[in-house]
Coordinates of all heavy atoms in Angstrom, one line a residue:
M1 N 18.8 -223.0 171.7 CA 18.7 -221.6 172.1 C 19.2 -221.4 173.5 O 18.9 -222.1 174.4 CB 17.2 -221.1 171.9 CG 17.1 -219.8 171.3 SD 15.4 -219.3 171.0 CE 15.1 -218.4 172.5
N2 N 19.9 -220.3 173.7 CA 20.4 -220.0 175.0 C 19.3 -219.4 175.9 O 18.4 -218.7 175.5 CB 21.5 -218.9 174.9 CG 22.7 -219.4 174.2 OD1 23.0 -220.6 174.2 ND2 23.4 -218.5 173.5
K3 N 19.3 -219.8 177.2 CA 18.4 -219.3 178.1 C 18.8 -217.9 178.6 O 20.0 -217.7 178.8 CB 18.3 -220.2 179.4 CG 17.4 -221.3 179.2 CD 17.2 -222.1 180.5 CE 16.3 -223.3 180.3 NZ 16.3 -224.2 181.5
P4 N 17.9 -216.9 178.6 CA 18.3 -215.6 179.0 C 18.7 -215.6 180.5 O 18.0 -216.1 181.3 CB 17.1 -214.7 178.7 CG 15.9 -215.7 178.7 CD 16.5 -217.0 178.3
T5 N 19.8 -215.0 180.8 CA 20.2 -214.9 182.2 C 19.5 -213.8 182.9 O 19.1 -212.8 182.4 CB 21.8 -214.6 182.3 OG1 22.0 -213.5 181.5 CG2 22.6 -215.8 181.9
T6 N 19.2 -214.0 184.2 CA 18.4 -213.1 185.0 C 19.3 -211.9 185.4 O 20.5 -212.0 185.5 CB 17.8 -213.7 186.2 OG1 18.9 -214.5 186.9 CG2 16.7 -214.7 185.8
N7 N 18.6 -210.8 185.7 CA 19.3 -209.6 186.2 C 20.4 -209.1 185.2 O 21.4 -208.6 185.6 CB 19.9 -209.8 187.5 CG 18.9 -210.0 188.6 OD1 17.8 -209.4 188.5 ND2 19.2 -210.8 189.6
R8 N 20.1 -209.1 184.0 CA 21.0 -208.6 183.0 C 21.0 -207.1 183.0 O 19.8 -206.5 183.0 CB 20.6 -209.1 181.6 CG 21.7 -208.9 180.6 CD 21.3 -209.7 179.3 NE 21.8 -211.0 179.4 CZ 22.4 -211.6 178.4 NH1 22.6 -210.9 177.2 NH2 22.9 -212.8 178.4
P9 N 22.1 -206.4 183.2 CA 22.1 -204.9 183.5 C 21.6 -204.1 182.2 O 20.9 -203.2 182.4 CB 23.5 -204.6 183.8 CG 24.3 -205.7 183.3 CD 23.4 -206.9 183.3
T10 N 22.0 -204.6 181.1 CA 21.6 -203.8 179.9 C 20.5 -204.5 179.1 O 20.8 -205.3 178.3 CB 22.8 -203.5 179.0 OG1 23.5 -204.7 178.8 CG2 23.8 -202.4 179.6
F11 N 19.3 -204.1 179.4 CA 18.2 -204.7 178.7 C 17.8 -203.8 177.5 O 16.9 -202.9 177.6 CB 17.0 -204.9 179.6 CG 15.9 -205.8 179.0 CD1 16.2 -207.1 178.8 CD2 14.7 -205.3 178.7 CE1 15.2 -207.9 178.2 CE2 13.7 -206.0 178.2 CZ 13.9 -207.4 178.0
I12 N 18.6 -203.8 176.5 CA 18.4 -202.8 175.4 C 17.2 -203.2 174.6 O 16.8 -204.3 174.5 CB 19.7 -202.8 174.5 CG1 20.1 -204.2 174.1 CG2 20.8 -202.0 175.2 CD1 21.1 -204.2 172.9
P13 N 16.5 -202.1 174.0 CA 15.3 -202.4 173.2 C 15.5 -203.4 172.2 O 14.5 -204.2 171.9 CB 15.0 -201.0 172.6 CG 15.7 -200.0 173.5 CD 16.9 -200.8 174.1
K14 N 16.6 -203.5 171.5 CA 16.8 -204.4 170.5 C 16.6 -205.9 171.0 O 16.1 -206.7 170.3 CB 18.2 -204.3 169.9 CG 18.1 -203.8 168.4 CD 19.5 -203.7 167.8 CE 19.5 -202.9 166.6 NZ 20.8 -202.6 166.0
M15 N 17.1 -206.1 172.2 CA 17.0 -207.4 172.7 C 15.5 -207.7 173.0 O 15.1 -208.8 172.9 CB 17.8 -207.5 174.0 CG 18.1 -208.9 174.4 SD 19.0 -209.0 175.9 CE 20.5 -208.2 175.5
Y16 N 14.8 -206.8 173.5 CA 13.4 -206.9 173.8 C 12.7 -207.4 172.5 O 11.9 -208.3 172.5 CB 12.8 -205.6 174.2 CG 11.3 -205.6 174.5 CD1 10.8 -205.9 175.8 CD2 10.4 -205.4 173.5 CE1 9.5 -206.0 176.0 CE2 9.0 -205.5 173.7 CZ 8.6 -205.8 175.0 OH 7.3 -205.9 175.2
C17 N 13.1 -206.7 171.4 CA 12.5 -207.1 170.1 C 12.9 -208.5 169.7 O 12.1 -209.2 169.1 CB 12.9 -206.1 169.0 SG 12.2 -204.4 169.2
N18 N 14.1 -208.9 169.9 CA 14.5 -210.2 169.6 C 13.7 -211.3 170.4 O 13.4 -212.3 169.9 CB 16.0 -210.4 169.9 CG 16.9 -209.7 168.9 OD1 16.4 -209.5 167.8 ND2 18.1 -209.4 169.2
L19 N 13.4 -210.9 171.6 CA 12.7 -211.9 172.4 C 11.2 -211.9 172.2 O 10.5 -212.9 172.0 CB 12.9 -211.5 173.9 CG 14.2 -211.9 174.5 CD1 14.4 -211.3 175.9 CD2 14.5 -213.4 174.5
F20 N 10.6 -210.7 172.0 CA 9.1 -210.6 171.9 C 8.6 -210.1 170.6 O 7.4 -210.1 170.3 CB 8.6 -209.6 173.0 CG 9.0 -210.0 174.4 CD1 10.0 -209.2 175.1 CD2 8.4 -211.1 175.0 CE1 10.3 -209.6 176.3 CE2 8.8 -211.5 176.3 CZ 9.8 -210.7 177.0
G21 N 9.5 -209.8 169.7 CA 9.2 -209.4 168.4 C 9.0 -207.8 168.4 O 8.8 -207.2 169.4
H22 N 9.1 -207.3 167.2 CA 9.0 -205.8 167.1 C 7.5 -205.4 167.3 O 6.6 -206.1 167.1 CB 9.4 -205.4 165.7 CG 10.8 -205.6 165.4 ND1 11.8 -204.9 165.9 CD2 11.4 -206.5 164.6 CE1 13.0 -205.4 165.5 NE2 12.8 -206.4 164.7
H23 N 7.4 -204.2 167.7 CA 6.0 -203.6 167.9 C 5.9 -202.4 167.0 O 6.2 -201.3 167.3 CB 5.9 -203.2 169.4 CG 4.5 -202.7 169.7 ND1 4.1 -201.4 169.9 CD2 3.3 -203.4 169.9 CE1 2.8 -201.4 170.2 NE2 2.3 -202.5 170.1
Y24 N 5.4 -202.8 165.8 CA 5.3 -201.7 164.7 C 4.0 -200.9 164.8 O 3.0 -201.5 165.1 CB 5.4 -202.4 163.3 CG 6.8 -203.0 163.1 CD1 6.9 -204.3 162.9 CD2 7.9 -202.1 162.9 CE1 8.2 -204.9 162.7 CE2 9.1 -202.6 162.7 CZ 9.3 -204.0 162.6 OH 10.5 -204.5 162.3
Q25 N 4.2 -199.7 164.6 CA 3.1 -198.7 164.5 C 3.2 -198.0 163.2 O 4.2 -197.7 162.7 CB 3.1 -197.7 165.7 CG 2.9 -198.4 167.0 CD 3.0 -197.5 168.2 OE1 4.0 -196.6 168.2 NE2 2.1 -197.5 169.1
V26 N 2.0 -197.8 162.6 CA 1.9 -197.1 161.3 C 2.3 -195.6 161.6 O 1.8 -194.9 162.4 CB 0.5 -197.1 160.7 CG1 0.5 -196.3 159.4 CG2 0.1 -198.6 160.4
T27 N 3.4 -195.2 160.9 CA 3.8 -193.8 161.0 C 3.5 -193.0 159.8 O 3.5 -191.7 159.9 CB 5.4 -193.7 161.2 OG1 6.0 -194.6 160.3 CG2 5.7 -194.2 162.7
K28 N 3.1 -193.6 158.7 CA 2.8 -192.8 157.5 C 2.0 -193.7 156.6 O 2.4 -194.9 156.4 CB 4.1 -192.4 156.9 CG 4.0 -191.3 155.8 CD 5.3 -190.9 155.3 CE 5.3 -189.8 154.4 NZ 6.6 -189.5 153.8
K29 N 1.0 -193.1 156.0 CA 0.2 -193.8 155.0 C 0.6 -193.2 153.6 O 0.4 -192.0 153.4 CB -1.3 -193.6 155.2 CG -1.8 -194.5 156.3 CD -3.3 -194.4 156.5 CE -3.7 -195.2 157.7 NZ -5.1 -194.9 158.2
V30 N 1.3 -194.0 152.8 CA 1.8 -193.5 151.6 C 0.7 -193.6 150.5 O 0.3 -192.6 149.9 CB 3.0 -194.3 151.1 CG1 3.6 -193.7 149.8 CG2 4.1 -194.2 152.2
T31 N 0.1 -194.8 150.3 CA -1.0 -195.0 149.5 C -2.0 -195.9 150.2 O -1.8 -196.1 151.4 CB -0.7 -195.7 148.1 OG1 -0.3 -197.0 148.4 CG2 0.5 -194.9 147.4
Y32 N -3.1 -196.3 149.6 CA -4.0 -197.2 150.2 C -3.3 -198.5 150.7 O -3.6 -199.1 151.7 CB -5.1 -197.7 149.3 CG -6.1 -196.6 148.9 CD1 -6.3 -196.2 147.6 CD2 -6.7 -195.9 149.9 CE1 -7.2 -195.2 147.3 CE2 -7.6 -194.9 149.6 CZ -7.9 -194.5 148.3 OH -8.7 -193.5 148.0
H33 N -2.3 -198.9 149.9 CA -1.7 -200.2 150.2 C -0.3 -200.1 150.8 O 0.2 -201.0 151.5 CB -1.5 -201.0 148.9 CG -2.8 -201.2 148.1 ND1 -3.9 -201.9 148.6 CD2 -3.3 -200.6 147.0 CE1 -4.9 -201.8 147.8 NE2 -4.5 -201.0 146.8
V34 N 0.4 -199.0 150.6 CA 1.7 -198.8 151.1 C 1.7 -197.9 152.3 O 1.2 -196.8 152.4 CB 2.7 -198.2 150.0 CG1 4.0 -198.0 150.6 CG2 2.7 -199.1 148.8
K35 N 2.3 -198.5 153.4 CA 2.4 -197.7 154.6 C 3.8 -197.8 155.2 O 4.5 -198.7 154.8 CB 1.4 -198.3 155.7 CG 0.0 -198.1 155.3 CD -0.9 -198.6 156.5 CE -2.3 -198.5 156.1 NZ -2.8 -199.7 155.3
E36 N 4.2 -196.9 156.0 CA 5.5 -197.0 156.7 C 5.2 -197.3 158.2 O 4.3 -196.7 158.8 CB 6.2 -195.7 156.5 CG 6.8 -195.5 155.1 CD 7.5 -194.2 154.9 OE1 7.8 -193.5 155.9 OE2 7.8 -193.9 153.7
Y37 N 6.0 -198.1 158.7 CA 5.9 -198.6 160.1 C 7.2 -198.3 160.9 O 8.2 -198.4 160.3 CB 5.6 -200.1 160.2 CG 4.4 -200.5 159.4 CD1 4.5 -200.9 158.1 CD2 3.2 -200.7 160.0 CE1 3.4 -201.3 157.3 CE2 2.1 -201.1 159.3 CZ 2.2 -201.4 158.0 OH 1.1 -201.9 157.3
T38 N 7.1 -198.0 162.1 CA 8.2 -197.8 163.0 C 8.0 -198.7 164.3 O 6.9 -198.6 164.9 CB 8.4 -196.4 163.4 OG1 8.5 -195.6 162.2 CG2 9.7 -196.2 164.2
C39 N 9.0 -199.4 164.7 CA 9.0 -200.2 165.9 C 9.1 -199.2 167.1 O 10.0 -198.4 167.1 CB 10.1 -201.2 165.9 SG 10.1 -202.1 167.5
S40 N 8.1 -199.3 168.0 CA 8.1 -198.4 169.1 C 9.2 -198.7 170.1 O 9.5 -197.8 171.0 CB 6.8 -198.4 169.8 OG 6.5 -199.7 170.3
H41 N 9.9 -199.8 170.0 CA 11.0 -200.1 170.9 C 12.4 -199.8 170.4 O 13.2 -199.1 171.0 CB 11.0 -201.6 171.3 CG 9.7 -202.0 172.0 ND1 9.4 -201.4 173.2 CD2 8.7 -202.8 171.6 CE1 8.2 -202.0 173.6 NE2 7.8 -202.7 172.7
C42 N 12.7 -200.3 169.1 CA 14.0 -200.1 168.6 C 14.1 -199.1 167.5 O 15.2 -198.8 166.9 CB 14.6 -201.4 168.2 SG 13.8 -202.1 166.7
K43 N 12.9 -198.5 167.1 CA 12.8 -197.5 166.0 C 13.2 -198.0 164.6 O 13.5 -197.3 163.7 CB 13.7 -196.3 166.3 CG 13.4 -195.6 167.7 CD 12.0 -195.1 167.8 CE 11.7 -194.7 169.2 NZ 10.2 -194.7 169.5
K44 N 13.2 -199.4 164.5 CA 13.4 -199.9 163.2 C 12.2 -199.6 162.3 O 11.0 -199.6 162.7 CB 13.5 -201.5 163.3 CG 13.9 -202.2 162.0 CD 13.9 -203.7 162.3 CE 13.8 -204.4 161.0 NZ 15.0 -204.8 160.4
Q45 N 12.5 -199.2 161.0 CA 11.4 -198.8 160.1 C 11.2 -199.8 159.0 O 12.1 -200.4 158.5 CB 11.7 -197.4 159.5 CG 11.6 -196.3 160.6 CD 11.8 -195.0 159.9 OE1 12.8 -194.7 159.4 NE2 10.8 -194.1 160.0
L46 N 9.9 -200.0 158.7 CA 9.5 -201.0 157.7 C 8.6 -200.2 156.7 O 8.0 -199.3 157.1 CB 8.8 -202.2 158.2 CG 9.5 -203.2 159.0 CD1 8.5 -204.4 159.3 CD2 10.7 -203.8 158.3
T47 N 8.5 -200.8 155.5 CA 7.5 -200.3 154.6 C 7.0 -201.5 153.8 O 7.5 -202.6 153.8 CB 8.1 -199.2 153.6 OG1 7.1 -198.7 152.8 CG2 9.2 -199.9 152.7
T48 N 5.8 -201.2 153.1 CA 5.2 -202.3 152.3 C 5.8 -202.1 150.9 O 5.9 -201.0 150.4 CB 3.7 -202.1 152.2 OG1 3.2 -201.4 153.4 CG2 3.0 -203.4 152.1
N49 N 6.3 -203.2 150.3 CA 6.8 -203.1 148.9 C 5.7 -203.4 147.9 O 4.5 -203.6 148.3 CB 8.0 -204.0 148.7 CG 7.7 -205.4 148.7 OD1 6.6 -205.8 148.8 ND2 8.7 -206.2 148.5
S50 N 6.0 -203.4 146.7 CA 5.0 -203.6 145.6 C 4.3 -205.0 145.7 O 3.2 -205.1 145.1 CB 5.6 -203.4 144.2 OG 6.8 -204.2 144.1
N51 N 4.9 -205.9 146.3 CA 4.3 -207.2 146.5 C 3.4 -207.3 147.8 O 2.9 -208.4 148.1 CB 5.4 -208.3 146.6 CG 6.2 -208.4 145.3 OD1 5.7 -208.2 144.2 ND2 7.5 -208.6 145.4
G52 N 3.4 -206.2 148.5 CA 2.6 -206.2 149.7 C 3.3 -206.8 150.9 O 2.7 -207.1 151.9
R53 N 4.6 -207.0 150.7 CA 5.4 -207.6 151.8 C 6.1 -206.5 152.6 O 6.3 -205.4 152.1 CB 6.5 -208.5 151.3 CG 5.8 -209.8 150.8 CD 6.9 -210.8 150.5 NE 6.3 -212.1 150.0 CZ 7.0 -213.0 149.4 NH1 8.3 -212.9 149.2 NH2 6.4 -214.1 149.0
L54 N 6.4 -206.8 153.9 CA 7.0 -205.8 154.7 C 8.5 -205.9 154.5 O 9.1 -207.0 154.6 CB 6.7 -206.0 156.2 CG 5.3 -205.6 156.6 CD1 5.0 -205.9 158.0 CD2 5.0 -204.1 156.3
I55 N 9.2 -204.8 154.3 CA 10.6 -204.8 154.1 C 11.2 -203.7 154.9 O 10.5 -202.7 155.2 CB 11.0 -204.7 152.6 CG1 10.2 -203.7 151.9 CG2 10.9 -206.0 151.9 CD1 10.8 -203.0 150.7
E56 N 12.5 -203.7 155.0 CA 13.1 -202.6 155.8 C 13.1 -201.3 155.0 O 13.3 -201.3 153.8 CB 14.6 -203.0 156.0 CG 15.2 -202.3 157.2 CD 16.6 -202.9 157.5 OE1 16.8 -204.1 157.5 OE2 17.5 -202.0 157.8
L57 N 12.8 -200.2 155.7 CA 12.7 -198.9 155.0 C 14.1 -198.4 154.9 O 14.6 -197.7 155.7 CB 11.8 -198.0 155.8 CG 11.5 -196.7 155.2 CD1 10.7 -196.8 153.9 CD2 10.7 -195.8 156.2
T58 N 14.6 -198.6 153.7 CA 16.0 -198.0 153.4 C 15.8 -196.6 152.8 O 14.7 -196.3 152.3 CB 16.7 -198.9 152.4 OG1 15.9 -199.0 151.2 CG2 17.0 -200.3 152.9
P59 N 16.8 -195.8 152.7 CA 16.7 -194.5 152.1 C 16.2 -194.6 150.7 O 15.4 -193.7 150.3 CB 18.2 -194.0 152.1 CG 18.8 -194.6 153.3 CD 18.2 -196.0 153.3
K60 N 16.5 -195.7 150.0 CA 16.0 -195.8 148.6 C 14.5 -195.9 148.6 O 13.8 -195.4 147.8 CB 16.6 -197.0 147.9 CG 16.5 -197.0 146.5 CD 17.0 -198.3 145.8 CE 16.6 -198.4 144.4 NZ 16.8 -199.7 143.8
F61 N 14.0 -196.7 149.6 CA 12.5 -196.9 149.6 C 11.8 -195.7 150.1 O 10.6 -195.4 149.8 CB 12.2 -198.2 150.5 CG 12.1 -199.4 149.6 CD1 13.2 -200.3 149.7 CD2 11.1 -199.7 148.8 CE1 13.2 -201.4 148.9 CE2 11.1 -200.9 148.0 CZ 12.2 -201.7 148.1
K62 N 12.5 -194.9 151.0 CA 11.9 -193.7 151.4 C 11.7 -192.7 150.2 O 10.7 -192.0 150.1 CB 12.9 -193.0 152.4 CG 12.5 -193.2 153.8 CD 13.4 -192.4 154.7 CE 13.1 -192.8 156.2 NZ 14.0 -192.1 157.1
E63 N 12.6 -192.8 149.3 CA 12.6 -192.0 148.1 C 11.4 -192.4 147.2 O 10.6 -191.7 146.8 CB 13.9 -192.2 147.3 CG 14.4 -190.9 146.6 CD 15.8 -191.2 146.0 OE1 16.8 -191.1 146.8 OE2 15.8 -191.6 144.8
I64 N 11.3 -193.8 147.1 CA 10.2 -194.4 146.3 C 8.9 -194.0 146.9 O 8.0 -193.6 146.2 CB 10.4 -195.9 146.2 CG1 11.6 -196.2 145.3 CG2 9.2 -196.5 145.5 CD1 12.0 -197.7 145.4
N65 N 8.8 -194.1 148.2 CA 7.5 -193.8 148.9 C 7.1 -192.3 148.7 O 6.0 -192.0 148.5 CB 7.6 -194.1 150.4 CG 7.5 -195.6 150.6 OD1 7.2 -196.4 149.7 ND2 7.7 -196.0 151.8
A66 N 8.1 -191.4 148.7 CA 7.9 -190.1 148.5 C 7.3 -189.8 147.1 O 6.3 -189.0 147.0 CB 9.2 -189.2 148.7
I67 N 7.8 -190.5 146.1 CA 7.3 -190.4 144.8 C 5.9 -190.9 144.7 O 5.0 -190.4 144.1 CB 8.2 -191.1 143.8 CG1 9.6 -190.4 143.8 CG2 7.6 -191.1 142.4 CD1 10.7 -191.2 143.1
L68 N 5.7 -192.2 145.3 CA 4.4 -192.8 145.3 C 3.3 -191.9 146.0 O 2.2 -191.8 145.5 CB 4.5 -194.1 146.1 CG 5.0 -195.4 145.4 CD1 5.0 -196.5 146.4 CD2 4.0 -195.7 144.3
E69 N 3.8 -191.3 147.0 CA 2.8 -190.4 147.8 C 2.4 -189.2 146.9 O 1.2 -188.9 146.9 CB 3.6 -189.8 149.0 CG 2.7 -189.3 150.1 CD 3.4 -188.7 151.2 OE1 4.6 -188.5 151.2 OE2 2.7 -188.4 152.2
R70 N 3.3 -188.7 146.1 CA 3.0 -187.6 145.2 C 2.0 -188.0 144.1 O 1.0 -187.4 143.8 CB 4.3 -187.0 144.6 CG 4.3 -185.5 144.7 CD 5.6 -185.0 144.1 NE 6.8 -185.5 144.8 CZ 8.0 -185.7 144.2 NH1 8.2 -185.4 143.0 NH2 9.0 -186.2 144.9
I71 N 2.3 -189.2 143.5 CA 1.5 -189.8 142.5 C 0.1 -190.0 143.1 O -1.0 -189.7 142.4 CB 2.1 -191.1 141.9 CG1 3.4 -190.7 141.2 CG2 1.1 -191.7 140.9 CD1 4.2 -192.0 140.8
H72 N 0.0 -190.6 144.2 CA -1.2 -191.0 144.9 C -2.0 -189.7 145.1 O -3.3 -189.7 144.9 CB -0.9 -191.7 146.2 CG -2.2 -192.2 146.9 ND1 -3.0 -193.1 146.4 CD2 -2.7 -191.8 148.1 CE1 -4.0 -193.3 147.2 NE2 -3.8 -192.5 148.3
A73 N -1.4 -188.7 145.6 CA -2.1 -187.4 145.9 C -2.7 -186.8 144.7 O -3.8 -186.3 144.7 CB -1.1 -186.5 146.6
S74 N -1.9 -186.8 143.6 CA -2.5 -186.2 142.4 C -3.6 -187.1 141.8 O -4.5 -186.6 141.2 CB -1.3 -186.0 141.3 OG -0.8 -187.3 140.9
R75 N -3.5 -188.4 142.0 CA -4.6 -189.3 141.5 C -5.8 -189.1 142.3 O -6.9 -189.0 141.7 CB -4.1 -190.8 141.7 CG -3.6 -191.4 140.4 CD -3.5 -192.9 140.6 NE -2.5 -193.4 139.8 CZ -1.8 -194.5 140.0 NH1 -2.1 -195.2 141.1 NH2 -0.9 -195.0 139.2
M76 N -5.7 -188.8 143.6 CA -6.8 -188.5 144.4 C -7.5 -187.3 144.0 O -8.8 -187.2 143.8 CB -6.4 -188.3 145.9 CG -5.9 -189.6 146.5 SD -7.2 -190.7 147.0 CE -7.7 -189.9 148.5
E77 N -6.7 -186.3 143.6 CA -7.2 -185.0 143.1 C -8.1 -185.2 141.9 O -9.2 -184.8 141.7 CB -6.1 -184.0 142.8 CG -5.7 -183.2 144.0 CD -6.8 -182.4 144.6 OE1 -7.5 -181.7 143.9 OE2 -7.1 -182.6 145.8
R78 N -7.5 -186.0 140.9 CA -8.1 -186.3 139.7 C -9.4 -187.1 139.8 O -10.4 -186.8 139.2 CB -7.1 -187.0 138.7 CG -6.9 -186.3 137.4 CD -5.9 -187.0 136.5 NE -4.6 -186.9 137.1 CZ -3.6 -187.8 136.8 NH1 -3.9 -188.8 135.9 NH2 -2.4 -187.6 137.3
S79 N -9.3 -188.1 140.7 CA -10.5 -189.0 140.9 C -11.6 -188.2 141.5 O -12.8 -188.5 141.3 CB -10.2 -190.2 141.7 OG -9.9 -189.9 143.0
K80 N -11.3 -187.2 142.3 CA -12.3 -186.4 143.0 C -13.1 -185.6 141.9 O -14.3 -185.5 141.9 CB -11.6 -185.4 143.9 CG -12.0 -185.6 145.4 CD -11.5 -184.4 146.2 CE -10.3 -184.8 147.0 NZ -9.6 -183.7 147.6
K81 N -12.3 -185.1 140.9 CA -12.9 -184.3 139.8 C -13.7 -185.2 138.9 O -14.8 -184.9 138.5 CB -11.8 -183.6 139.0 CG -11.3 -182.3 139.6 CD -10.1 -181.8 138.9 CE -9.4 -180.8 139.7 NZ -8.0 -180.6 139.3
K82 N -13.2 -186.5 138.8 CA -13.9 -187.4 137.9 C -15.3 -187.8 138.5 O -16.2 -187.8 137.8 CB -13.0 -188.7 137.8 CG -13.0 -189.2 136.4 CD -12.3 -190.5 136.3 CE -10.9 -190.4 135.7 NZ -10.1 -191.6 135.8
T83 N -15.3 -188.0 139.8 CA -16.6 -188.4 140.5 C -17.5 -187.3 140.4 O -18.7 -187.4 140.2 CB -16.4 -188.9 141.9 OG1 -15.5 -188.0 142.6 CG2 -15.8 -190.3 142.0
L84 N -17.0 -186.0 140.5 CA -17.9 -184.9 140.3 C -18.5 -184.8 139.0 O -19.7 -184.6 138.8 CB -17.1 -183.6 140.6 CG -17.1 -183.1 142.0 CD1 -16.2 -181.8 142.1 CD2 -18.5 -182.7 142.5
A85 N -17.7 -185.1 137.9 CA -18.1 -185.0 136.6 C -19.1 -186.2 136.3 O -20.1 -185.9 135.7 CB -16.9 -185.1 135.6
S86 N -18.8 -187.3 136.8 CA -19.7 -188.5 136.5 C -21.0 -188.4 137.3 O -22.0 -189.0 136.8 CB -19.0 -189.8 136.9 OG -18.7 -189.8 138.2
S87 N -21.0 -187.6 138.3 CA -22.3 -187.5 139.1 C -23.3 -186.6 138.3 O -24.5 -186.6 138.7 CB -22.0 -187.0 140.5 OG -21.6 -185.7 140.4
I88 N -22.8 -185.9 137.4 CA -23.7 -185.0 136.6 C -24.5 -185.8 135.7 O -25.7 -185.5 135.5 CB -22.8 -184.0 135.8 CG1 -22.1 -183.0 136.8 CG2 -23.7 -183.2 134.9 CD1 -21.0 -182.2 136.2
Y89 N -23.9 -186.9 135.1 CA -24.7 -187.7 134.2 C -25.7 -188.6 134.9 O -25.4 -189.1 135.9 CB -23.7 -188.6 133.3 CG -22.8 -187.7 132.5 CD1 -21.5 -187.5 132.8 CD2 -23.3 -186.9 131.4 CE1 -20.6 -186.7 132.1 CE2 -22.5 -186.1 130.7 CZ -21.2 -186.0 131.0 OH -20.3 -185.2 130.3
Ligands
LIG1 ZN1 11.9 -203.4 167.3

């Protein structure tokens, strides 16, 4: 591995991430298990896939997450009604 030279004029965020790793923050909760993350340094985006692994958030996965979010929201609505009904018995 190359030693980083001192006083490098362009210390770009991407290089920071290469040296110290990305600093991901949750930017969106899609479902209980699927979240979207953004690196606070280089703005790289990740998401959780169906296996629970972190993968790059491509436009395709953004689309999938949008659908998941809608399904999740409607499920939440339904389960709310279900718990109301079951509490009667
Ligand atoms: Zn980064």
Side-chain angles (χ1 to χ4, degrees):
M1 224 176 93
N2 294 331
K3 272 186 184 171
T5 49
T6 49
N7 294 328
R8 197 169 267 227
T10 48
F11 192 68
I12 52 168
K14 247 184 194 171
M15 200 185 293
Y16 180 93
C17 291
N18 283 338
L19 287 172
F20 303 108
H22 296 286
H23 187 253
Y24 290 114
Q25 290 175 318
V26 178
T27 44
K28 196 178 186 184
K29 282 180 183 169
V30 182
T31 68
Y32 291 125
H33 309 291
V34 179
K35 294 183 185 81
E36 288 179 9
Y37 304 86
T38 306
C39 176
S40 60
H41 299 295
C42 67
K43 306 297 170 201
K44 186 185 159 92
Q45 289 185 300
L46 289 187
T47 187
T48 333
N49 73 359
S50 50
N51 299 322
R53 288 193 180 161
L54 288 175
I55 44 152
E56 206 173 317
L57 184 64
T58 58
K60 198 187 168 190
F61 272 100
K62 264 188 186 175
E63 218 173 277
I64 292 169
N65 281 355
I67 296 164
L68 276 177
E69 198 182 12
R70 228 179 300 151
I71 294 168
H72 183 67
S74 65
R75 260 192 208 156
M76 292 283 279
E77 273 304 305
R78 238 179 288 159
S79 69
K80 243 189 258 166
K81 278 173 198 160
K82 224 186 256 173
T83 46
L84 268 179
S86 61
S87 65
I88 296 166
Y89 298 108

